[in-house]
Amino acid sequence: MTAEVVVLRYGHRPGRDDRMTTHVGLTARALGADRVVLPDNAGQSAETVRDITDRFGGPFEVELRDDQRSFTRGWDGTVVHLTMYGERVQDVEADVRADSVASDTPLLVVVGGEKVPFDFYEAADYNVGVTNQPHSEVAGLAVFLDRLFEGAELEREWDDADRVVLPQETGKRVVDPAEAVAERDGAVEGTDDDSDGG
Ligand SMILES: C[S@@+](CC[C@H](N)C(=O)[O-])C[C@H]1O[C@@H](n2cnc3c(N)ncnc32)[C@H](O)[C@@H]1O
């Protein structure tokens, strides 16, 4: 059995953070997490991530909560907080992996938006920096998950999709799952589809 990996987003300013919070959810989904926990005022972002999951497949859960601090403190498993002030990801990734996916221990990955209270630094088993330079929660999350899964998430298959992207050297091919199977045996025309949540 594979341990659950959950991403928690702390902080959301409606309007200003909509796109970034949505992209935290989409990145969590695409790069192998099982669930994202968003602040309860980020309903629009939650809707977009659920819509993408409905169309491009899962499983992936989206949850809205107003108790990010107590949820993190009460997490029954390992907690990683991504912060530019943390230990270098390349120094701790093996220990984090051993304490989570490799030992069937649930992992909570916390990313901030607005200023992150010190409680999260204290609640974390690991404060992890993806470089010690300031950048973005989306970039930090993507690199961290790829390191955690050692690239295996790139090979993931998606369940219950009604859209499948067929990789192209040039252009866009998006087909339904039956056509994707047929495509493996012969040529089937796909359709252009720009509805990717971006
Ligand atoms: C734009 S930063 C804002 C940080 C905020 N100024 C603070 O003091 O917490 C938003 C989030 O991006 C993530 N982040 C930014 N740079 C990072 C880095 N070098 N390594 C890991 N995470 C980073 C952290 O999760 C952070 O909470």
Side-chain angles (χ1 to χ4, degrees):
M1 194 180 134
T2 308
E4 189 184 32
V5 176
V6 177
V7 172
L8 179 137
R9 159 72 151 172
Y10 174 79
H12 176 77
R13 295 160 293 186
R16 183 168 171 178
D17 288 339
D18 287 345
R19 190 172 166 84
M20 201 57 116
T21 299
T22 300
H23 284 195
V24 166
L26 294 178
T27 300
R29 171 186 170 276
L31 294 181
D34 300 288
R35 180 159 54 114
V36 69
V37 176
L38 302 179
D40 64 349
N41 63 349
Q44 196 178 318
S45 295
E47 205 176 304
T48 301
V49 180
R50 286 183 183 126
D51 180 56
I52 291 290
T53 303
D54 286 346
R55 288 188 285 138
F56 288 89
F60 186 74
E61 299 297 322
V62 184
E63 193 179 348
L64 292 168
R65 301 185 70 104
D66 66 356
D67 59 348
Q68 261 70 1
R69 290 186 200 210
S70 57
F71 182 83
T72 301
R73 275 198 303 271
W75 181 254
D76 187 13
T78 301
V79 176
V80 164
H81 168 224
L82 295 182
T83 166
M84 62 180 278
Y85 305 106
E87 297 180 274
R88 306 187 321 158
V89 65
Q90 60 269 45
D91 294 340
V92 296
E93 63 181 83
D95 289 343
V96 172
R97 196 177 306 114
D99 288 348
S100 58
V101 292
S103 58
D104 205 13
T105 304
L107 176 64
L108 183 67
V109 183
V110 177
V111 297
E114 59 196 51
K115 189 169 171 57
V116 177
F118 200 66
D119 313 31
F120 287 95
Y121 291 79
E122 290 180 326
D125 298 293
Y126 299 92
N127 288 289
V128 177
V130 177
T131 77
N132 294 114
Q133 304 300 314
H135 51 78
S136 133
E137 49 272 45
V138 175
L141 180 62
V143 171
F144 174 77
L145 289 175
D146 188 59
R147 291 272 176 149
L148 177 73
F149 295 122
E150 300 180 279
E153 82 286 357
L154 302 179
E155 304 294 339
R156 179 184 170 166
E157 299 284 335
W158 299 92
D159 297 339
D160 301 323
D162 59 32
R163 293 277 191 283
V164 177
V165 174
L166 300 178
Q168 301 292 300
E169 191 176 330
T170 309
K172 305 176 186 177
R173 293 284 310 281
V174 185
V175 300
D176 69 40
E179 287 174 306
V181 172
E183 173 72 20
R184 284 200 276 269
D185 303 322
V188 173
E189 288 301 312
T191 56
D192 276 359
D193 186 339
D194 289 328
S195 53
D196 54 9

